[in-house]
Amino acid sequence: MYIFSDLKMYGRFTWGLRSYLRHTLTLEEAKAIIQKRMAEREENFLRLVRKGIFGYPKSPYLPLLRLARCEMGDIEKMVRGKGLEGTLRALREAGVYVTFEEFKGREPILRQGESISVKHNDFNNPFLSHYYKAETGGTTQAGTRVEIDLEHLEAETPRLMVSQDAHDLLDIPTAIWFGILPDPTGIIANLTRVPFRNVPQKWFSPITNRDLRPSIKNQLATRYIIFIGRLLGVPISWPESVSLENAIVVARWVADILKTHNKCLIITHVSKALRLCIAAQEEGLDLTGLVLWGGGEPPTFAKVQEMQKTGAHWIPSYYWTEVGLVGQGCAKPADINDLHFFKDRLALIQSSRKVPGSEITVNAFYFTTLLLTAPKLMLNVESDDYGVIEHRSCGCTLESYGFTDHLRHIQSYQKLTGEGVTLVGSEMVYILENVLPARFGGSPIDYQLLEEEDEQGFTRLSLLVSPRIKIKDKMEVINAVLEALKHSSVSAELAGAIWKQAKTFQVKQMEPILTVRGKLMPLHLAKRFPHST
Ligand SMILES: [Zn+2]
C-alpha cells in the first residue's frame, strides 16, 4: 500500500520537478507578481476561505467557524467593512484561531466547551500535488512529515528574488551551509534560487554520517534532485560534509572567493555564521565583502558583533518551514534584527496569550496564508513567536513593494532554538518529566533545562539535576537525552544530532531554579524572559 502511494508521489514529484527546473523568472516578472498579489490580498484571502475551508469538508477550521456562527457571506461582509486584518482580529476574538500545540496536533482544540480532535496533517493543503514527503515515525507523537512542495517553492521565488535584489545580492558567488534530507533546508535553499539562476556554487552540509545516517529514501531523493537538475543544465552542487567544528573550511572558501570578487554570500543559520567568523578570526582571515544571510534563531547582539569583527555584513531572515520566508532584513535597518514582513501572501495579527506553564503574557503572532499554494492552510495560526510589529518608513527598496510593516525583537516563547535547529519545548518536557526520572531516579522536580548564552554568544542548554540524584557519569545523562530525542520526532532527532556536535548540552548537578513566584518550570528560559524568572 505504502509502496504504491510512494510510487505515485515520486511520479508526480518527478514530473513537477522537471518543469520546475526549466522555469525561469526575471526581476521584472518577480516585481509584477508581488505587486499583483499585494493588490489582490483580500480577494486571495476570500478565495482561500471559499475553496480551502468552506469547499473542503474535512477542514479543521469548519467546526471553529460553526461555533462562531460565521458563514462565508459573513466573512465577505467583514472583509469589505473591516479590511483583511480587521476581519482576522474579529475572528480571533470569536475563537477562530489555532494555537501552536493544536496546530502540531499535540492538543485537541477546546472552544466553548467543545473538544475538536486534530492532527497536524489535517492542516495540509489538499490542492497540492507535486510534492516530496517522507513520513518519520516517533514514539511520543504521530509521524512528522518532511515535505518539499514545488508549487509552494515556485510561489516563494519572486519574494526571494526581490529580497536579494534589495541588498544587491543577485549574481554574486553564493554558498549554503545547510543540512541534507530529512532536513529540507538545503534542498529548498537550492531549488528556490533555480528560477532566477542564482543556484549556490557550493553546498556545505553540517550533517555528517557520524551524526545521522539519512534513510535510503532520503539519500536517494537528495541525489535524484541534484542529478535531474544537472541533467537539465541546472548546476546544483553535491553536498560536502563540513561539521560545525570544521567551520574554517567554509571560511577559507569565502576568503578564496574574495580574492577575485568583491562580494560573496553565505546563507546559513545564525550560529553557523558565528562559527564561521570565529574560525576566520583565529586564522587571521579578513572577510570584508562577505554577506551572511540567516535565521533559525534570534541573532543576539553578542552574536552579530562577533560576526562583524571579521568585516562581514549581517542580514537577518525570518523563515518558517511550513510557511516559507516570512520576513527579510531591511536594507536600512533600525537594529540587528529589523525585518520587512512579506504581506503579499501572508497576513499577521497579534493577540496576547499566556506562555504555557507560566504567568508570563506575550503578544503572540497569528498567521494566515493567502495563497492556495501554501503547504499548510492557515487561518489565525500561532507560530509560537512573539515580537513587535511596527509600521515605519525606512526608505529601502523593500518598502516600495508595500512591505511597510517591520518585525522586530522576535522570540519564540516555548521552542528551544540553538544552532539553527528547533525543538518543541513539550518534547523536552516529556523527557525531563518521564524519561530521566525513570532511568536515573527522582521525580520531575529534580530535572530542569536551563537556557543560557556563553561569552561568545552560543546558546548553551544546561540540564540541571538535583544533587539528591546520584549521577556517576554525566555523559550517560546526555546520551539518555539524545537517545530519547532520536525516538521523539524527526526535528528532535536533527536537533539532538546537531547539539551533540556543537556540545550544546551540559549536565550540572544543582537544584532546579524557581521562578520569582516560587514555581518550578521544567524549561527555565531566563534568556528570553529576564524579568520574570
Ligand atoms: Zn527597509
Side-chain angles (χ1 to χ4, degrees):
M1 199 51 195
Y2 280 126
I3 294 173
F4 287 120
S5 65
D6 262 8
L7 282 176
K8 212 164 126 192
M9 171 193 81
Y10 275 127
R12 281 199 298 227
F13 181 74
T14 310
W15 183 253
L17 185 64
R18 285 167 180 268
S19 78
Y20 179 89
L21 290 165
R22 288 196 186 103
H23 161 75
T24 57
L25 182 76
T26 66
L27 188 57
E28 290 317 308
E29 286 165 346
K31 287 178 180 174
I33 291 170
I34 288 173
Q35 277 153 1
K36 186 168 187 291
R37 282 185 197 160
M38 287 297 281
E40 295 173 355
R41 285 181 88 231
E42 292 183 355
E43 292 101 285
N44 285 342
F45 167 71
L46 290 173
R47 186 190 310 127
L48 185 130
V49 174
R50 197 176 300 119
K51 196 171 168 196
I53 298 177
F54 286 103
Y56 178 50
K58 285 200 284 187
S59 169
Y61 301 105
L62 278 177
L64 292 177
L65 288 160
R66 179 176 44 79
L67 283 173
R69 298 202 166 87
C70 191
E71 297 289 337
M72 187 65 220
D74 303 316
I75 296 182
E76 283 168 349
K77 213 153 78 191
M78 269 198 284
V79 169
R80 277 197 300 273
K82 298 173 192 280
L84 175 52
E85 276 73 13
T87 303
L88 294 173
R89 273 188 278 271
L91 289 172
R92 167 72 186 77
E93 285 302 303
V96 183
Y97 66 92
V98 177
T99 69
F100 183 69
E101 290 291 322
E102 292 162 356
F103 180 62
K104 289 281 170 190
R106 293 198 174 88
E107 282 174 5
I109 299 178
L110 299 174
R111 299 286 182 280
Q112 299 179 29
E114 272 199 42
S115 173
I116 306 156
S117 86
V118 275
K119 292 193 294 293
H120 189 44
N121 289 349
D122 292 345
F123 296 94
N124 288 350
N125 182 344
F127 306 110
L128 298 182
S129 54
H130 297 126
Y131 56 78
Y132 166 79
K133 67 170 181 174
E135 305 277 353
T136 312
T139 48
T140 55
Q141 55 159 327
T144 313
R145 183 158 136 178
V146 176
E147 197 166 283
I148 300 168
D149 291 293
L150 295 174
E151 283 99 332
H152 167 61
L153 295 191
E154 196 173 323
E156 277 281 285
T157 53
R159 187 182 316 100
L160 189 61
M161 191 178 191
V162 302
S163 294
Q164 291 203 197
D165 172 61
H167 290 277
D168 202 13
L169 296 174
L170 291 174
D171 306 319
I172 62 163
T174 303
I176 56 170
W177 192 9
F178 281 137
I180 47 174
L181 291 169
D183 175 357
T185 46
I187 284 288
I188 290 173
N190 272 300
L191 290 182
T192 44
R193 288 171 172 82
V194 168
F196 53 96
R197 298 299 181 252
N198 212 176
V199 186
Q201 278 164 259
K202 210 63 181 149
W203 179 0
F204 300 107
S205 166
I207 305 209
T208 64
N209 278 346
R210 210 179 53 194
D211 310 305
L212 185 86
R213 192 175 281 280
S215 66
I216 296 288
K217 179 175 170 177
N218 282 324
Q219 286 186 40
L220 286 176
T222 305
R223 283 180 209 175
Y224 179 76
I225 293 170
I226 299 172
F227 176 74
I228 292 289
R230 299 182 83 106
L231 204 66
L232 295 175
V234 179
I236 303 175
S237 58
W238 296 100
E240 177 186 331
S241 290
V242 176
S243 63
L244 301 181
E245 65 209 20
N246 278 327
I248 190 62
V249 174
V250 187
R252 284 185 195 137
W253 182 84
V254 172
D256 234 35
I257 291 285
L258 289 174
K259 280 181 198 154
T260 48
H261 295 75
N262 54 10
K263 223 171 175 184
C264 161
L265 173 65
I266 296 278
I267 306 157
T268 187
H269 296 120
V270 177
S271 47
K272 284 190 206 75
L274 175 60
R275 280 174 196 282
L276 188 167
C277 291
I278 289 173
Q281 279 183 60
E282 283 168 2
E283 209 166 280
L285 299 176
D286 178 11
L287 302 185
T288 305
L290 167 65
V291 177
L292 292 160
W293 165 304
E297 60 205 285
T300 59
F301 184 69
K303 288 186 174 89
V304 176
Q305 205 183 24
E306 203 65 32
M307 292 179 211
Q308 288 166 341
K309 281 186 192 164
T310 60
H313 176 61
W314 160 255
I315 301 174
S317 80
Y318 179 17
Y319 188 84
W320 183 11
T321 320
E322 281 154 339
V323 170
L325 200 56
V326 175
Q328 187 63 41
C330 172
K332 293 180 178 171
D335 60 30
I336 52 164
N337 201 19
D338 179 4
L339 304 133
H340 282 270
F341 171 58
F342 291 140
K343 57 199 274 191
D344 59 324
R345 28 142 252 171
L346 285 172
L348 169 64
I349 61 160
Q350 281 182 297
S351 185
S352 67
R353 64 105 79 213
K354 264 193 177 169
V355 175
S358 85
E359 283 146 8
I360 302 158
T361 301
V362 291
N363 220 355
F365 287 169
Y366 291 80
F367 286 96
T368 297
T369 49
L370 304 180
L371 298 185
L372 278 165
T373 49
K376 301 270 176 197
L377 298 185
M378 297 187 187
L379 176 59
N380 280 339
V381 173
E382 279 184 356
S383 66
D384 178 41
D385 289 323
Y386 70 101
V388 176
I389 306 176
E390 271 174 0
H391 199 71
R392 183 161 55 85
S393 172
C394 59
C396 91
T397 317
L398 288 171
E399 189 185 56
S400 66
Y401 300 102
F403 299 143
T404 47
D405 292 334
H406 288 244
L407 305 180
R408 290 170 71 194
H409 310 298
I410 304 163
Q411 284 273 14
S412 150
Y413 52 86
Q414 52 182 340
K415 278 194 293 269
L416 295 164
T417 59
E419 305 294 340
V421 281
T422 55
L423 172 67
V424 177
S426 55
E427 289 184 75
M428 184 53 92
V429 171
Y430 176 83
I431 295 172
L432 294 169
E433 295 190 338
N434 299 280
V435 178
L436 296 180
R439 171 90 185 267
F440 299 98
S443 72
I445 60 160
D446 295 313
Y447 299 89
Q448 184 182 51
L449 195 78
L450 170 68
E451 186 190 53
E452 295 166 300
E453 195 167 56
D454 70 12
E455 62 287 350
Q456 281 184 310
F458 289 111
T459 300
R460 295 280 167 239
L461 298 172
S462 297
L463 184 62
L464 308 187
V465 183
S466 163
R468 277 175 301 173
I469 311 293
K470 298 288 168 247
I471 302 284
K472 271 187 247 127
D473 179 4
K474 288 179 178 173
M475 268 323 283
E476 232 182 277
V477 183
I478 293 178
N479 288 337
V481 173
L482 295 173
E483 194 54 35
L485 287 174
K486 231 187 232 181
H487 298 292
S488 188
S489 70
V490 70
S491 53
E493 186 183 8
L494 279 170
I498 291 289
W499 289 347
K500 187 179 176 187
Q501 223 188 80
K503 300 186 179 66
T504 304
F505 272 120
Q506 52 177 325
V507 171
K508 288 182 185 170
Q509 285 243 263
M510 59 182 271
E511 283 302 336
I513 302 164
L514 301 180
T515 65
V516 275
R517 290 172 201 264
K519 281 191 175 177
L520 192 155
M521 303 307 304
L523 306 177
H524 192 79
L525 309 177
K527 200 179 93 187
R528 285 178 235 183
F529 307 111
H531 306 300
S532 47
T533 49

